[in-house]
Amino acid sequence: MAAMDPAYDPKRVESTWYSRWEKAGVFRPELNPDGEPFAIVIPPPNVTGVLHMGHALDQTIQDLIIRRKRMQGYAALWLPGTDHAGIATQIVVERELAKEGMSREEMGREAFIEQVWLWKAAFGGKITDQIRRMGFSTDWTRERFTMDEGLSTAVRKVFVDLYHEGLIYRGNRIISWCPRDRTAISDVEVEHEDEVGELVYVHYPFKEGGGGIEVATTRAETMLGDTGIAVHPDDPRYSDAIGRIVTVPLVHRQIPIVADEAVDPAFGTGAVKVTPAHDQTDFEIGRRHGLDTVCVIDEAGVINENGGRFAGLDRFDARRAVKEALASDGALIKVEQHVHAVGHCQRCHTVIEPYLSDQWFVKVAPLVGPAIDAVRSGDIRFVPERWDKTYLHWMENLRDWTISRQIWWGHRIPAWYCEACGEVIVAIEDPTRCECGSTDLRQDPDVLDTWFSSGLFPFSTLGWPDDTDDFRRYYPNAVLVTGYDIISFWVARMIQFGLHLTGRKPFSDVVIHGLVRADDGRKMSKSLGNAIDPLEIVDVHGADALRLALIQAAASGQDVPFQVEWVDAARRFGNKLWNVVRFAVANLGEHSVPADGGYPAEPGPESAWILARLHDVFARTDELLEEYRFSEAYAVLYSFAWSEAFDWYLELSKTLLKADSEETRATLGVVVRDLLKLFHPVIPYVTEELWSYLVGEGLIAAATWPHPPECEEPAHFEVFRELVVGFRRFRAEHGLSPRAPLQATLVDPDGVASPWWFPQFQALASVVPAVGAAPAGDVFSRVVGGSAQVFISLEGLVDVDAERTRIDKEIADVSSVLDRSRGKLAKPDFLDKAPVEVVAKERAKVVEFEALLEKLAAQRSDLG
RNA sequence: GGGCGCUUAGCUCAGUUGGCAAGAGCGCUUCCCUUACAAGGAAGAAGUCGGGGGUUCGAGUCCCUCAGCGCCCACCA
């Protein structure tokens, strides 16, 4: 094998491993055929989309989970898939066609859909390539697409079954309509924003003359479709008006005044105009009072022929025109500024129009109860827990789900209408004739909401509704990882569908993470120009660096402002690891470390120290990972690796190795190897490359998760560490060279002997252990640990003032801490009520600090 | 109108049953090119944990309140 490069080059390292992993079948759960199943469903990205930072974070977390589980021996399945993303994809393709001067209307439905499939074939691979580039270990042999045959079959079966159960129905309702996309959308696809509008007060005269009634409206244009006026039944101002007839200005329609509880007497004039065709509340009022429905706005948001002279005007132009016409007619009383929430299309931001139309709905009431219970009972667990509230609140206030979309790209609704008798046929197989004998059948032109098929993803991808091996084995999935922004879109629907259709929960744990934000704290978006392309980061710093940076930054479901500096730091960590292994290989030899085990049986103090730390840090890290506290886990591990294993043990090992110790070689090897394993789930490429040098047996991706044995930490090692710091500090503060020889005497009442490696490691001329006695003569002393003290011979080189200043400061610091501790211990309540271990800890602290202070005071007085 | 989150070092953020002499990365100061790494090492400076009140032996951590920022939900026209 070639010698290792002197520096880590992510580009080179990341170029080959992915295909080797795939070829070796590492990503297939069959790698661990006897393992317990553990499955994750990927939130399927849009098939024609590109990877953004949100995906990068989401999928890095999933990869971390699945790679660790795989190493732990589970039959770990991470099933990849893509979503056909109905409206989004259709819009993209339409836009492309428009560049060539074509429109879908001209092409016709079939030709257009063919175009979309071509588009998907051409660009659908982009996002999956990007997933590979990031190193995500999905099982590509099981890849699915929401419009593939199996998933389409599942969709169709679900629709038909729910229809026959009465959970899917067709109805003529007011729904949210996007006049730009010309389709119905569901409630969750509407974004409300406060906007400043106008509250227009209009006078509606009584038919028989003698005054009239005033109403206030923010949507003056809808008065063209007014069919009633409503007031609250208990409103004394209008008790005489109820039942009377007024004339709608401009259109001169005669409409009744009705009484309805839905009216808020405190708003406006307490009288509201009722436009059943263009407002949800009005629709219901109209229905209760048998009012007519006059539609005046068409599917494009334009006033139709019922709008008289306003026909042909866009709804916003009409609003102005109606207001002006009212003014010139003398029907306009006044106009006030008014802030109110306006719904916008989530996709194109067009103002939503409440629109009366025939649509298909999912009746949610029967689905809600189980979906609430599953979370309330803890059967499905949100992490962090607080997202329970968001989920439950949404679930508890759910209205029927509009699932039909007036677009072409998607799962066509399996409903046919008999042109002869009007019968509706809903069937899995395309029907050819109606019961009435007619063959004149017309399929419903609409397609289903994209989220309908995504809602089935956790089980449809495993082969359901067939009772497949995969479905039996991997369902329910173990965990779902996603951002909080799609809890209502997706998570809630999977839970409802999963429980109802399979009788079981779709997954046990729902890990919610934050959104990646730009460094200005705003949402990353192309239109704001603050989006960072993860692939560009990968090109410069490597996928590993991006992954590690995201994991470190993404704490506990909090949003993460993305900063390139983090990636840079993460890449430097890769370089560090690289050089650590280079050092290990140079000293231990290539392929010298076993893939497992190899821990020294009876380690001496130096090995015991690092092995004890390794065990403790491993245990803590593993615990945190199990609790999905990723950033904390890797903070612990990162700090141990760099500050203790590398900066300390590895430095020390240089001295130890000079004694040619087999034990040190073994220890160094296993510590580095286990760190590679522990970091592998986050930075798979560089660890795999380094494994090939250090271990060379198999792949780290298929290696076993480490389990360093427990090891008792040697009693005095921390004292030695403090001593070393003390020596370094002494030199630094006195302007001595870091390697200037020092003459030192260690005095420790516990009789600790200074370790043999001190003189070489810290260039001490000699360290003389002594018990209980300070050497006489011209020395400075340092306090270390609680009891040990080291005396360093002056050699006449020392800056006495600097030492005085330092000691004075330390005395002040120690005194203040000591005062606080003494204060605590002086309180009887503390002694009575605090746990014994806390009191003991406080006492020990006082003893330690008193000794420290005493020694510091002595040192200070020695200095004069 | 409800609900949630945030306010900790110059910057971006950790800190989960209350026991912290408050941490990290970046930045900053001083020293060191020691043959794994200068993409590095060593030693440092730096915070009355948004304000006020409370509970408690003890509060960055719990409660109340005020202020600021952000997000989500909501059919008052």
Side-chain angles (χ1 to χ4, degrees):
Chain A
M1 182 172 265
M4 291 179 68
D5 292 346
Y8 160 56
D9 175 9
K11 255 204 164 72
R12 192 185 66 69
V13 168
E14 295 180 6
S15 60
T16 61
W17 287 111
Y18 201 90
S19 57
R20 290 166 75 173
W21 286 325
E22 252 192 291
K23 271 191 206 118
V26 168
F27 300 162
R28 309 200 66 219
E30 288 76 12
L31 178 74
N32 297 320
D34 303 323
E36 198 180 316
F38 184 99
I40 301 187
V41 214
I42 202 170
N46 291 2
V47 67
T48 56
V50 291
L51 196 83
H52 60 244
M53 277 298 174
H55 295 124
L57 170 64
D58 185 59
Q59 295 174 11
T60 296
I61 292 172
Q62 293 172 63
D63 199 33
L64 158 53
I65 293 172
I66 206 76
R67 281 182 182 267
R68 171 165 166 269
K69 287 293 170 188
R70 186 178 296 131
M71 291 172 83
Q72 286 178 330
Y74 287 84
L77 171 61
W78 186 16
L79 192 148
T82 46
D83 193 291
H84 67 282
I87 301 181
T89 301
Q90 173 160 325
I91 289 174
V92 169
V93 176
E94 277 189 281
R95 200 176 295 143
E96 289 305 309
L97 289 172
K99 284 181 192 163
E100 295 160 35
M102 298 197 287
S103 75
R104 70 174 163 117
E105 287 81 4
E106 288 168 27
M107 298 176 72
R109 185 164 188 146
E110 273 182 39
F112 177 76
I113 289 175
E114 206 171 301
Q115 277 298 312
V116 182
W117 278 105
L118 288 173
W119 179 267
K120 187 244 169 197
F123 298 100
K126 189 168 180 182
I127 191 136
T128 52
D129 285 347
Q130 291 173 329
I131 289 173
R132 287 181 166 88
R133 182 78 183 83
M134 287 293 296
F136 297 139
S137 61
T138 50
D139 180 2
W140 294 105
T141 66
R142 287 176 165 87
E143 183 182 1
R144 302 306 295 263
F145 173 52
T146 49
M147 292 263 286
D148 69 26
E149 203 186 329
L151 270 57
S152 298
T153 306
V155 164
R156 197 135 162 181
K157 178 180 162 52
V158 170
F159 187 96
V160 173
D161 286 354
L162 293 183
Y163 176 78
H164 288 122
E165 275 179 67
L167 292 187
I168 282 181
Y169 65 93
R170 190 161 186 259
N172 187 252
R173 299 281 186 84
I174 297 265
I175 45 81
S176 295
W177 179 270
C178 176
R180 185 174 168 280
D181 297 339
R182 310 270 178 98
T183 178
I185 60 176
S186 63
D187 294 343
V188 285
E189 290 165 284
V190 179
E191 292 177 348
H192 294 274
E193 273 171 40
D194 277 348
E195 281 181 11
V196 181
E198 287 179 340
L199 193 57
V200 177
Y201 289 77
V202 186
H203 180 83
Y204 285 58
F206 291 129
K207 175 187 170 191
E208 62 272 27
I213 193 163
E214 288 175 16
V215 304
T217 179
T218 55
R219 301 198 55 195
E221 74 281 11
T222 61
M223 68 170 294
L224 303 172
D226 282 353
T227 58
I229 301 286
V231 297
H232 195 275
D234 304 331
D235 192 335
R237 291 173 294 180
Y238 300 115
S239 48
D240 293 341
I242 295 168
R244 296 183 71 175
I245 304 295
V246 295
T247 305
V248 182
L250 307 181
V251 292
H252 312 299
R253 186 182 301 121
Q254 316 256 298
I255 61 173
I257 295 173
V258 301
D260 196 284
E261 302 271 351
V263 179
D264 175 8
F267 186 89
T269 63
V272 56
K273 59 187 229 34
V274 182
T275 321
H278 297 290
D279 183 273
Q280 178 69 36
T281 309
D282 290 8
F283 180 76
E284 284 158 17
I285 293 175
R287 183 173 272 185
R288 282 194 285 270
H289 299 279
L291 300 179
D292 291 338
T293 298
V294 177
C295 176
V296 294
I297 300 173
D298 71 10
E299 60 171 30
V302 173
I303 304 298
N304 66 14
E305 66 281 1
N306 294 330
R309 60 182 149 131
F310 300 97
L313 287 178
D314 172 79
R315 54 194 165 145
F316 298 110
D317 295 334
R319 188 172 301 172
R320 273 187 296 275
V322 165
K323 192 177 72 177
E324 283 159 19
L326 287 169
S328 56
D329 265 24
L332 182 70
I333 297 154
K334 62 175 173 178
V335 175
E336 284 175 354
Q337 288 241 312
H338 179 65
V339 177
H340 62 141
V342 177
H344 295 78
C345 174
Q346 179 207 32
R347 207 160 285 95
C348 67
H349 214 67
T350 302
V351 173
I352 289 306
E353 189 63 37
Y355 189 64
L356 183 63
S357 54
D358 288 327
Q359 303 290 345
W360 289 88
F361 300 89
V362 170
K363 189 183 198 174
V364 296
L367 303 176
V368 160
I372 287 174
D373 292 344
V375 169
R376 282 233 178 96
S377 68
D379 197 27
I380 295 175
R381 196 167 65 103
F382 276 85
V383 180
E385 204 177 351
R386 70 182 135 90
W387 292 109
D388 279 17
K389 286 204 190 88
T390 305
Y391 169 88
L392 290 171
H393 179 261
W394 186 77
M395 200 60 89
E396 283 157 3
N397 294 286
L398 201 51
R399 296 193 302 163
D400 285 358
W401 173 18
T402 312
I403 50 172
S404 43
R405 297 289 179 276
Q406 287 65 50
I407 58 171
W408 290 347
W409 175 240
H411 301 280
R412 184 118 177 226
I413 288 176
W416 287 261
Y417 308 101
C418 174
E419 299 287 16
C421 70
E423 177 73 15
V424 178
I425 305 165
V426 171
I428 289 178
E429 299 298 328
D430 290 13
T432 51
R433 69 170 44 229
C434 177
E435 279 180 353
C436 75
S438 167
T439 55
D440 191 7
L441 301 176
R442 181 178 53 85
Q443 185 172 7
D444 193 298
D446 293 350
V447 301
L448 288 166
D449 183 0
T450 284
W451 297 102
F452 191 91
S453 50
S454 337
L456 312 175
F457 213 70
F459 38 98
S460 63
T461 53
L462 294 171
W464 185 92
D466 294 334
D467 187 24
T468 61
D469 288 345
D470 271 5
F471 179 67
R472 277 202 302 272
R473 195 158 160 71
Y474 299 107
Y475 191 84
N477 296 268
V479 52
L480 171 78
V481 178
T482 192
Y484 57 76
D485 53 335
I486 56 172
I487 290 176
S488 48
F489 282 98
W490 192 45
V491 181
R493 266 122 189 206
M494 285 189 287
I495 293 175
Q496 290 179 325
F497 272 166
L499 290 169
H500 186 77
L501 297 167
T502 72
R504 284 185 290 167
K505 61 185 173 182
F507 31 70
S508 301
D509 292 347
V510 182
V511 176
I512 300 291
H513 59 250
L515 307 182
V516 182
R517 300 193 168 273
D519 57 5
D520 56 9
R522 291 186 303 173
K523 200 168 176 171
M524 258 191 204
S525 80
K526 274 186 199 153
S527 54
L528 285 173
N530 60 2
I532 296 176
D533 178 358
L535 276 306
E536 278 176 27
I537 298 282
V538 168
D539 282 340
V540 179
H541 303 274
D544 283 341
L546 175 58
R547 295 167 55 122
L548 180 56
L550 287 170
I551 287 297
Q552 290 177 317
S556 62
Q558 222 55 45
D559 285 354
V560 298
F562 185 83
Q563 291 180 299
V564 181
E565 292 76 40
W566 289 351
V567 185
D568 206 46
R571 193 201 44 178
R572 286 203 293 273
F573 181 76
N575 188 57
K576 191 73 185 175
L577 261 188
W578 182 273
N579 279 288
V580 165
V581 171
R582 207 156 83 97
F583 173 83
V585 167
N587 285 281
L588 314 180
E590 252 183 27
H591 306 169
S592 55
V593 181
D596 293 291
Y599 304 97
E602 287 177 20
E606 294 78 19
S607 291
W609 174 74
I610 191 68
L611 290 170
R613 292 293 301 134
L614 177 68
H615 171 269
D616 291 352
V617 165
F618 162 76
R620 181 65 184 143
T621 301
D622 214 40
E623 185 186 1
L624 288 166
L625 288 175
E626 201 58 34
E627 293 168 11
Y628 306 110
R629 291 158 65 177
F630 312 109
S631 70
E632 285 175 78
Y634 279 93
V636 169
L637 198 58
Y638 182 93
S639 143
F640 165 74
W642 205 315
S643 311
E644 298 187 83
F646 304 158
D647 285 347
W648 253 94
Y649 183 72
L650 191 138
E651 283 305 318
L652 177 59
S653 77
K654 288 177 184 173
T655 304
L656 302 177
L657 284 168
K658 283 181 191 154
D660 198 23
S661 151
E662 273 311 306
E663 179 190 300
T664 301
R665 295 160 61 86
T667 304
L668 182 63
V670 298
V671 168
V672 173
R673 179 205 61 203
D674 283 357
L675 282 172
L676 288 183
K677 286 184 176 184
L678 291 167
F679 273 101
H680 178 258
V682 183
I683 46 174
Y685 288 114
V686 68
T687 48
E688 190 67 82
E689 176 88 4
L690 293 173
W691 179 268
S692 74
Y693 294 110
L694 189 71
V695 178
E697 177 195 329
L699 294 163
I700 195 173
T704 56
W705 193 240
H707 42 85
E710 245 179 283
C711 185
E712 196 176 338
E713 194 170 327
H716 301 290
F717 205 85
E718 286 303 328
V719 173
F720 302 153
R721 298 217 313 149
E722 283 184 60
L723 273 171
V724 170
V725 173
F727 293 142
R728 287 172 178 164
R729 194 168 159 177
F730 182 87
R731 287 173 170 127
E733 280 170 3
H734 296 298
L736 300 174
S737 143
R739 318 185 87 180
L742 294 177
Q743 200 67 33
T745 305
L746 177 68
V747 174
D748 191 326
D750 296 340
V752 179
S754 70
W756 63 266
W757 41 264
F758 254 33
Q760 292 170 63
F761 186 43
Q762 278 297 306
L764 302 169
S766 69
V767 178
V768 183
V771 179
D778 202 10
V779 293
F780 273 142
S781 59
R782 284 277 167 175
V783 177
V784 287
S787 54
Q789 192 165 15
V790 65
F791 295 87
I792 301 165
S793 151
L794 277 180
E795 300 180 41
L797 290 170
V798 166
D799 177 351
V800 178
D801 279 341
E803 190 67 3
R804 273 197 204 101
T805 310
R806 190 194 66 76
I807 292 179
D808 283 342
K809 185 176 182 303
E810 203 172 337
I811 287 174
D813 289 350
V814 170
S815 301
S816 87
V817 175
L818 192 55
D819 287 348
R820 253 164 50 184
S821 282
R822 281 176 175 154
K824 279 189 191 174
L825 287 166
K827 283 200 262 188
D829 277 345
F830 177 70
L831 301 174
D832 289 349
K833 294 178 183 170
V836 277
E837 61 272 18
V838 173
V839 175
K841 206 169 143 192
E842 212 60 45
R843 287 214 168 98
K845 204 202 282 183
V846 166
V847 170
E848 182 188 344
F849 276 57
E850 278 174 344
L852 191 58
L853 198 59
E854 200 178 304
K855 289 175 201 162
L856 286 167
Q859 286 174 34
R860 183 64 181 80
S861 71
D862 285 350
L863 291 173

